[in-house]
Amino acid sequence: MTIQADQETIIVEAFINGQNVKSLSQVAKENPTNPTEIVGYFPVTTKEQAVEAIEAAAGAFKTWKQTSIDERITMMRKAIEKIRAAENEIVHLLSREHGKPLYDAHGEIYVSLMWMEFACNEAKSALQEEIKEHENGKTILSYDPIGVVAAISPWNYPIALSTIKIAPALLAGNTIVLKPSPYAPLAAAKVAEIIASEFPAGVINVVHGDADVGVELTSNPLVTKIAFTGGTATAKHIIKAASETIKDMTLELGGNDAAIFLESFDVHDERAMRRIVISNFLTAGQICMIAKRVYVHRSIYDEFVEKYIEAANRWIRIGDPFDSNTTVGPVNNLKQKNVVLGLVEDAQKRGAEVIPLGQILDQKLFEQGYYLQPTLVLGCDVHDPIVVEEQFGPTVPILPFDNEEQVIHLHNESIYGLTSSVWGKEEDAISVARQLEAGTTMINTAAVQGLDVRFPFGGVKQSGIGREYGVEGIRTYTEKHVINVPKTLDLPYIPE
Ligand code: NAD
């Protein structure tokens, strides 16, 4: 990574075996608040370079796996300190290339570092081999590294969703090839290079591009684990690509997370109303675990909608990510803006009412960038696309329900099951939560506000396979290796 003389344009190269590798072609990454401004350039890694990166990781694995856990933790802690020291620079770059407001970019670094610290604190006990003496002899259970990890991350939380993979993978003794998303490659590459500076050459490699490079990473026989975060449709391609060589996989995929407001929810609780608004519109709604459909008990529905609009108009201020008044920035890219617009227009055509939310702080900027005014969509049918599909942007439908059985059914009939939330009296909410099919269910909070990196996170059904975060998020980068030592050579049920 180099910063050009004008300190403005960032140039990223592939990082293979401890070195930047020059590429023949570069792609411009625009600023979503002003698409004519180029934030930086990243390369399209060739197939040959991707293979080189995988081979570098495979070569480094031979010695890296022999290092002690203490050595790895020491290196990772130094990397954490370096990221912390560079936080402001990283946050500015992330905000410029992504469009998320500065406070939100800081939040991403905060969660990333919290997780990396947790992984360092827990790695030793999580990976400690267990020895059990029993009536048949002795069993040793060890947590061995898997090998070369292909880590593929999306654009919405490019740093958090890269470090969520890098930290545990390396602590567990694996080597890695990271491919960030072409929609937000710069800050993730910068953080990966900072981490790499503390590790031996080849332990972390970074390549760039989209599906072409992704296919090499997910099909190459030297890759033994895929850690992927992204869309469910992409995951289906990945599963096919990996099937030839049967790779270990963690897949964190799309969601259509429901927020359920029970009759016992207090619509006059302004802090709770603010929380649900934030849980719908943080990062302009571009979060896997954002509340994407809201169901409200019919007895409180009208008042809820009124209070929701008030709370949303107070909190949502759409503007320049570098303006400290801004709470919501642009959508990251034109493709996603059009997906969201398409769903809102479709809902309107089907007869829904679309209510714009919040204030636009800078009309000129709003018109120039990939901005979308957040919207509330009322009067939808429960099976309209805006309700059943993942919109991944600043719009949310609110629908009434009549009884718990009905809303539990609506929740569970989704093909997704990442997170959900239930709001109301605690015991009523927990009782409904127990009946929901999801990886995480939050009570009286939702989305990132209810995330706890100490516990496993992941989806059920088409929202994913496996878990990240928590102790499980470290062990997922290991093979459980059992070594049995029998006490006697007698074979009790086999004839002599
Ligand atoms: P995406 O699936 O389009 O891309 C994700 C990554 O996969 C990118 O790096 C992309 O270049 C790469 N890719 C694309 N085609 C590939 C292929 N054929 N083989 C290998 N790699 C390929 O997703 P996105 O648009 O970047 O992210 C948005 C999606 O990610 C949403 O569905 C969101 O819900 C999901 N997401 C899930 C979580 C979670 O933890 N469950 C977190 C964040 C985002």
Side-chain angles (χ1 to χ4, degrees):
M1 155 105 31
T2 51
I3 299 180
Q4 277 189 342
D6 62 5
Q7 295 291 308
E8 283 292 308
T9 311
I10 305 294
I11 307 212
V12 160
E13 299 287 1
F15 186 77
I16 301 174
N17 210 14
Q19 291 187 332
N20 283 307
V21 176
K22 283 260 168 266
S23 62
L24 292 176
S25 61
Q26 292 275 346
V27 182
K29 173 68 194 83
E30 82 281 28
N31 180 340
T33 64
N34 174 10
T36 60
E37 182 200 322
I38 302 307
V39 180
Y41 294 88
F42 64 96
V44 175
T45 302
T46 61
K47 177 180 157 55
E48 291 70 27
Q49 287 171 333
V51 171
E52 214 183 297
I54 294 166
E55 287 174 353
F61 179 63
K62 294 185 187 119
T63 44
W64 179 245
K65 67 177 175 186
Q66 312 285 358
T67 53
S68 72
I69 182 71
D70 288 319
E71 282 174 87
R72 297 175 205 154
I73 292 171
T74 304
M75 290 179 205
M76 194 59 76
R77 287 201 191 283
K78 284 191 185 156
I80 290 172
E81 283 323 306
K82 279 191 172 171
I83 295 172
R84 198 163 271 136
E87 176 165 347
N88 276 334
E89 194 191 334
I90 298 166
V91 158
H92 278 72
L93 178 57
L94 176 61
S95 201
R96 276 181 72 213
E97 72 165 329
H98 186 282
K100 59 176 74 182
L102 282 181
Y103 79 90
D104 194 2
H106 271 293
E108 179 167 350
I109 302 286
Y110 176 80
V111 174
S112 307
L113 292 177
M114 196 197 301
W115 162 245
M116 292 175 79
E117 290 277 8
F118 174 88
C120 285
N121 293 342
E122 294 296 319
K124 206 162 175 175
S125 63
L127 302 172
Q128 177 71 46
E129 78 174 19
E130 295 157 31
I131 303 176
K132 288 222 158 68
E133 306 273 353
H134 46 74
E135 67 283 10
N136 298 328
K138 183 164 77 173
T139 298
I140 304 165
L141 169 62
S142 67
Y143 295 93
D144 296 355
I146 303 178
V148 176
V149 176
I152 301 176
S153 51
W155 49 263
N156 62 324
Y157 272 63
I159 295 174
L161 297 172
S162 296
T163 50
I164 200 173
K165 301 169 176 49
I166 295 172
L170 299 194
L171 288 168
N174 305 280
T175 55
I176 202 162
V177 181
L178 171 74
K179 193 199 79 58
S181 164
Y183 289 114
L186 307 176
K190 182 170 179 60
V191 169
E193 279 191 38
I194 291 176
I195 301 174
S197 68
E198 289 301 328
F199 288 81
V203 171
I204 309 183
N205 307 274
V206 186
V207 296
H208 291 272
D210 204 0
D212 286 356
V213 182
V215 166
E216 185 58 44
L217 295 186
T218 51
S219 58
N220 189 300
L222 291 176
V223 171
T224 38
K225 164 137 189 149
I226 297 168
F228 171 76
T229 305
T232 299
T234 310
K236 292 179 185 176
H237 292 293
I238 289 178
I239 291 168
K240 280 191 199 131
S243 66
E244 265 315 299
T245 44
I246 315 280
K247 299 181 193 310
D248 190 314
M249 274 186 218
T250 305
L251 304 176
E252 295 288 2
L253 311 178
N256 186 22
D257 301 8
I260 298 171
F261 288 81
L262 304 178
E263 209 171 355
S264 57
F265 175 73
D266 177 9
V267 293
H268 299 284
D269 184 340
E270 285 189 7
R271 289 190 320 149
M273 291 309 292
R274 178 173 177 272
R275 235 172 210 247
I276 181 60
V277 167
I278 294 169
S279 302
N280 294 135
F281 293 109
L282 186 71
T283 321
Q286 305 161 110
I287 309 182
C288 56
M289 59 189 302
I290 209 95
K292 292 171 183 150
R293 45 185 173 133
V294 175
Y295 298 101
V296 180
H297 192 273
R298 201 178 291 278
S299 64
I300 57 167
Y301 178 81
D302 290 341
E303 222 180 342
F304 180 94
V305 169
E306 187 191 315
K307 298 287 174 200
Y308 184 96
I309 294 171
E310 280 172 24
N313 285 340
R314 262 197 304 274
W315 186 72
I316 298 172
R317 296 181 296 274
I318 310 131
D320 182 348
F322 284 79
D323 175 350
S324 59
N325 284 320
T326 297
T327 54
V328 176
V331 174
N332 169 264
N333 57 77
L334 194 55
K335 185 173 150 208
Q336 193 58 31
K337 178 178 168 176
N338 288 332
V339 167
V340 180
L341 268 179
L343 283 168
V344 175
E345 281 167 13
D346 173 80
Q348 225 157 4
K349 276 192 206 130
R350 292 167 190 265
E353 183 188 0
V354 176
I355 301 171
L357 299 171
Q359 19 163 342
I360 297 167
L361 300 178
D362 181 339
Q363 188 62 34
K364 191 164 163 266
L365 193 77
F366 183 84
E367 282 161 22
Q368 145 190 297
Y370 301 142
Y371 283 92
L372 266 183
Q373 179 153 16
T375 46
L376 175 60
V377 184
L378 302 176
C380 304
D381 180 81
V382 291
H383 293 124
D384 279 354
I386 198 159
V387 181
V388 297
E389 289 177 21
E390 180 185 43
Q391 63 272 50
F392 215 65
T395 186
V396 69
I398 301 189
L399 303 100
F401 70 90
D402 293 302
N403 56 59
E404 285 177 8
E405 202 182 9
Q406 179 198 16
V407 79
I408 291 165
H409 171 75
L410 289 171
H411 178 283
N412 289 347
E413 72 176 354
S414 172
I415 59 165
Y416 298 112
L418 189 58
T419 78
S420 54
S421 60
V422 190
W423 306 62
K425 221 166 95 199
E426 190 177 310
E427 58 267 39
D428 300 349
I430 291 177
S431 150
V432 171
R434 289 189 197 282
Q435 299 172 70
L436 302 180
E437 295 165 359
T440 303
T441 300
M442 300 163 221
I443 306 298
N444 291 319
T445 190
V448 190
Q449 290 68 49
L451 181 71
D452 190 332
V453 302
R454 294 170 300 178
F455 295 93
F457 177 84
V460 304
K461 299 189 277 187
Q462 293 190 33
S463 285
I465 298 176
R467 294 291 181 268
E468 292 184 306
Y469 288 145
V471 169
E472 211 172 322
I474 301 171
R475 287 197 180 142
T476 191
Y477 289 93
T478 63
E479 292 289 8
K480 284 84 197 161
H481 185 184
V482 171
I483 298 171
N484 278 332
V485 188
K487 194 185 272 175
T488 106
L489 294 183
D490 293 344
L491 298 170
Y493 62 90
I494 297 186
E496 288 295 336

